Amino acid sequence: MTGPPIVKGTAAWRYFGDFRAGLLAGQVLVLQVAHPVVAAGVRDHSDYVEDPWTRLMRTAASLSIYIYGGPEGARYEADRLRALHRSFTGVDDGHRYSALNPRAYAWVHATLVMVPVDTQRFYGTPMNPSELDEYYAQMCDVGRLLGLREQDMPPTWPEFERYYAEMIDGFGPNETISTLFETIRTVKKPWRWLPDERWTRLQRWQYRGQMFVIRATLPPALRDRLGLQWTVRDQRRFDRFRTVVRLVGGLVPMPLRSSLVRRIGRLNVWFRAHPRAYRFLGGI
């Protein structure tokens, strides 16, 4: 399935950069590291435990290029990521793994495909069938740029949904998920100038908030297998929360909901064309 170019007005352009997607950052990380190959790679090669804020910003910057950086920017970023991940190899439970394992690589892409869909389902207006078809076709084109094999990308949205559910059915607890939850609990302050005593209070709030949203948005079967409790009272609280988010988000015109991510994408393309400026700013 081939989609239209990602330009203003198309489904991927409208929905991918919605600022409310930030509320699903924790959920998508859990889903990614639930895959055993991804879990091993993150455990052995990621710096998210030491510096999760920078890791999160790098991921957001990279994603912005694929959708909003134009074809050349997307191809450049895809080549860069493939080259980077070739060195991410190791041994897990006596078996060698690679970050470019086709099925694991496809699963990471699948979780990112689902983020805008879940964002609208939880916090906005769910995409209609024609929007889903167009959006998924465009994200398949992004997958091809990333080097995904055709057999690892279901050809239609309904088939993708079945694949996604079947993958989640095979996941359960692992060491990397436990480490992720502990990192959320003990995460260091994002800015050095923030007083320690103030961050101590904020840290508790952000942990409770992050874990609440993760528990709310994970697929229920996986949430149960991870031992994360969810009550009727929790569901009522989440329903109130997402109603507020939906109302606030609805006040923002559609083009403005993704304007920040679009600007980040264009800025990153400019940095690629001006590497001296990128190095001068410390490669941030």
Side-chain angles (χ1 to χ4, degrees):
M1 176 185 289
T2 301
I6 300 175
V7 295
K8 185 176 181 179
T10 60
W13 188 95
R14 291 199 308 273
Y15 292 116
F16 198 87
D18 191 316
F19 67 92
R20 293 168 291 189
L23 292 168
L24 293 175
Q27 181 239 44
V28 73
L29 283 174
V30 173
L31 289 171
Q32 288 179 358
V33 300
H35 192 292
V37 174
V38 179
V42 168
R43 179 197 65 207
D44 295 343
H45 298 284
S46 177
D47 60 354
Y48 81 95
V49 173
E50 290 77 18
D51 193 1
W53 304 110
T54 299
R55 180 71 182 82
L56 189 61
M57 287 189 290
R58 286 174 181 166
T59 300
S62 180
L63 292 174
S64 70
I65 295 175
Y66 289 118
I67 308 301
Y68 302 113
E72 289 301 319
R75 277 191 288 270
Y76 179 95
E77 186 64 9
D79 291 343
R80 186 189 73 84
L81 278 185
R82 282 198 298 271
L84 175 67
H85 284 82
R86 285 192 192 102
S87 63
F88 292 174
T89 60
V91 178
D92 183 52
D93 290 334
H95 302 284
R96 292 197 61 81
Y97 72 82
S98 166
L100 291 180
N101 173 292
R103 292 184 179 178
Y105 201 50
W107 172 245
V108 171
H109 177 67
T111 63
L112 300 174
V113 169
M114 188 59 82
V115 169
V117 179
D118 277 348
T119 298
Q120 298 308 314
R121 178 166 63 93
F122 287 122
Y123 304 119
T125 301
M127 297 187 205
N128 62 46
S130 63
E131 289 177 319
L132 284 168
D133 288 342
E134 179 180 88
Y135 168 74
Y136 182 64
Q138 290 177 307
M139 294 307 292
C140 284
D141 291 341
V142 172
R144 294 183 187 96
L145 280 175
L146 284 167
L148 268 62
R149 306 178 306 183
E150 289 295 334
Q151 61 264 39
D152 293 321
M153 294 187 293
T156 66
W157 175 254
E159 290 172 285
F160 173 83
E161 285 188 299
R162 287 194 291 273
Y163 153 79
Y164 196 82
E166 289 168 1
M167 289 294 291
I168 288 173
D169 283 344
F171 296 152
N174 64 45
E175 178 187 350
T176 306
I177 293 176
S178 299
T179 302
L180 173 61
F181 290 160
E182 181 63 14
T183 299
I184 294 172
R185 187 182 71 82
T186 61
V187 65
K188 298 176 183 177
K189 59 186 181 182
W191 305 291
R192 293 180 181 177
W193 50 262
L194 188 63
D196 290 341
E197 61 275 11
R198 181 168 296 180
W199 174 242
T200 299
R201 292 193 295 272
L202 290 175
Q203 188 182 55
R204 289 196 295 268
W205 294 341
Q206 74 83 29
Y207 172 67
R208 292 171 184 167
Q210 281 268 29
M211 291 304 300
F212 177 75
V213 174
I214 287 172
R215 289 188 293 122
T217 57
L218 277 176
L222 179 58
R223 179 177 63 208
D224 292 342
R225 288 195 293 273
L226 296 179
L228 300 175
Q229 293 185 346
W230 190 250
T231 66
V232 173
R233 181 170 179 267
D234 290 331
Q235 185 62 53
R236 287 198 294 265
R237 289 174 59 206
F238 181 63
D239 288 341
R240 290 194 295 270
F241 171 73
R242 66 180 186 168
T243 296
V244 172
V245 174
R246 186 180 294 117
L247 290 173
V248 172
L251 297 175
V252 180
M254 171 70 80
L256 294 182
R257 294 175 196 165
S258 59
S259 61
L260 176 61
V261 179
R262 292 202 308 274
R263 289 189 175 92
I264 291 173
R266 290 195 290 268
L267 178 62
N268 275 280
V269 171
W270 186 88
F271 274 138
R272 300 299 185 264
H274 300 83
R276 291 184 180 179
Y278 183 73
R279 290 193 295 271
F280 176 77
L281 293 173
I284 55 175

